[in-house]
Amino acid sequence: MTYSIESARNIFSSTQVADAVPATTAMFAKLNIDDQLAFLWYAYAELGRTITPAAPGKANLQLMEGIFNDIKQMSHEEQTQLMRDLASNADTPISRSYAYFGVNAKLGFWWQLGEWMKEGIVAPMPAGYQMSTQVKTVLEAVQRIDQSQQITVLRNTVVNMGFDPSLADSKQAEVINFKFPRTSLSPQFTIEGVTEPTVLKYIEAMNADNFEAAVALFANNGALQPPFQKPIVGREAITAYLRDEGQGLVMKPTKGVSETIEDGYTQHKITGTVETPWFGGNVGMNIAWRFLLDPQGQIYFVAIDLLASPKELLNLTRK
Ligand code: EQ3
């Protein structure tokens, strides 16, 4: 049997992923725009009772200085309109610029607005605001899921904002990507049950933000499937994706299983935790990597899954 990316997606098919994330994100998407903004404010404030994201660093925020200066000059009405435009994917100059922010830059943009909302520099939630029943329902749904799933929902909502760049007639060449300098040496790890060098090298490279080295481990037509997304195919596309989304992640794989399948292919499932630079060790996301290596030991496919529960960390069954 030769594999296709489509068939590779089914390896270790008993893996239980956190379905509550797309379900809650879909509930959010049905809210009207003002309810969406209100929901995010309250969800963020609620999360802030236990953890808050780290400040993204001056150098990163400076990349958006021009836009921030414009926003500070605006009236509260204009600022509110700007937030509505972003949430409704309207075609405005700032909404277009936002589309070319990398994921972390988008999060950093809202982080800054959130700080300024607290200080009253950016229009805060109106005094006496009454939550609609729809907002309450989505908030309750978010309260039922664990913290790593909550931050993933928040992240999804922010990623989907702004003017869709595929609709833009002119393309801006450069995406604004944040960098998170590593404060300590790459974490040491051993994966109980897995010694496959390609897998170990992948984790090592990712823990050093060495995306070129990580991507060199892929086959030419290899693919990486991020949580809740379709596979990203080919080295160039994977490199661009990792430069945007892989920065500063700390991967702590702990257990795994390896198996030789047909025609010299091998499959490996590894579980462990991943920390984002925004929340550091305060939020360990339960993750599985499902690797399919070709007979040359190159990565033909790897899926990264956000697991449904910590119990899933122990699920290393092969089917
Ligand atoms: C201002 C406020 C509050 C109100 C306003 O009305 C609207 C908005 C939007 C507001 C602001 C909200 C803010 C500031 C939200 C911030 C949320 C943050 C910082 C969320 C961060 C989440 C990060 C996550 C979930 C990262 C996950 C990364 C993973 C799972 C990476 C996995 C990977 C692995 C393990 C690989 O091996 C390959 C790469 C890959 C990236 C897939």
Side-chain angles (χ1 to χ4, degrees):
M1 171 183 178
T2 42
Y3 281 92
S4 65
I5 300 293
E6 220 26 62
S7 62
R9 298 179 81 187
N10 296 322
I11 58 170
F12 299 102
S13 55
S14 72
T15 307
Q16 301 290 311
V17 304
D19 291 328
V21 169
T24 317
T25 309
M27 282 174 84
F28 165 85
K30 291 206 187 98
L31 295 174
N32 71 42
I33 297 304
D34 279 6
D35 277 359
Q36 289 193 357
L37 291 171
F39 163 83
L40 287 165
W41 177 255
Y42 287 106
Y44 188 66
E46 187 62 33
L47 189 79
R49 284 174 201 264
T50 42
I51 42 154
T52 42
K58 279 207 178 74
N60 282 327
L61 292 173
Q62 246 157 27
L63 299 169
M64 301 183 293
E65 209 180 6
I67 290 181
F68 284 147
N69 286 337
D70 291 347
I71 294 175
K72 280 204 268 188
Q73 305 297 317
M74 291 178 182
S75 67
H76 277 185
E77 289 69 32
E78 288 167 328
Q79 291 166 340
T80 306
Q81 190 53 43
L82 165 104
M83 294 193 258
R84 288 187 179 127
D85 289 342
L86 285 167
S88 62
N89 311 108
D91 185 2
T92 67
I94 291 188
S95 208
R96 274 185 183 234
S97 304
Y98 182 91
Y100 291 96
F101 293 175
V103 172
N104 289 308
K106 286 179 174 157
L107 290 167
F109 175 86
W110 282 105
W111 176 87
Q112 182 62 85
L113 257 51
E115 292 298 298
W116 283 341
M117 283 172 80
K118 286 185 220 155
E119 292 169 36
I121 297 171
V122 164
M125 286 297 295
Y129 168 84
Q130 293 285 319
M131 242 188 257
S132 69
T133 17
Q134 287 87 336
V135 173
K136 278 192 194 138
T137 310
V138 190
L139 266 179
E140 279 159 17
V142 151
Q143 278 156 355
R144 284 195 291 272
I145 58 183
D146 70 37
Q147 235 167 24
S148 62
Q149 299 180 29
Q150 290 178 353
I151 64 168
T152 309
V153 171
L154 274 182
R155 180 175 185 265
N156 286 349
T157 61
V158 167
V159 168
N160 293 335
M161 288 184 191
F163 182 65
D164 180 349
S166 66
L167 302 175
D169 36 15
S170 64
K171 290 252 182 283
Q172 185 176 310
E174 209 133 355
V175 173
I176 295 187
N177 276 335
F178 275 16
K179 290 215 164 27
F180 296 91
R182 299 212 174 238
T183 45
S184 57
L185 292 172
S186 300
Q188 295 300 305
F189 63 91
T190 38
I191 310 176
E192 191 191 315
V194 175
T195 52
E196 167 56 51
T198 303
V199 169
L200 303 182
K201 281 187 205 149
Y202 171 86
I203 301 286
E204 264 164 28
M206 291 298 296
N207 274 338
D209 294 330
N210 189 348
F211 306 120
E212 286 67 28
V215 171
L217 300 165
F218 282 75
N220 267 333
N221 55 348
L224 179 145
Q225 178 178 290
F228 315 110
Q229 287 183 45
K230 295 215 170 68
I232 297 164
V233 186
R235 286 187 177 146
E236 206 182 315
I238 299 172
T239 308
Y241 173 81
L242 292 179
R243 279 202 190 118
D244 177 11
E245 311 230 5
Q247 299 281 351
L249 295 172
V250 176
M251 308 197 178
K252 298 180 171 170
T254 50
K255 283 189 177 46
V257 63
S258 291
E259 187 183 25
T260 301
I261 32 178
E262 293 147 64
D263 305 330
Y265 278 81
T266 60
Q267 62 178 26
H268 312 263
K269 177 172 173 180
I270 290 95
T271 59
T273 55
V274 172
E275 295 165 8
T276 125
W278 293 100
F279 298 101
N282 294 327
V283 185
M285 291 177 276
N286 300 319
I287 296 286
W289 292 264
R290 295 181 285 125
F291 285 92
L292 180 66
L293 304 190
D294 68 14
Q296 289 73 43
Q298 293 188 307
I299 304 173
Y300 177 61
F301 176 79
V302 58
I304 293 98
D305 304 311
L306 181 65
L307 298 174
S309 70
K311 209 174 73 195
E312 267 301 298
L313 291 170
L314 304 173
N315 175 8
L316 296 172
T317 42
R318 294 188 165 100
K319 286 275 178 301

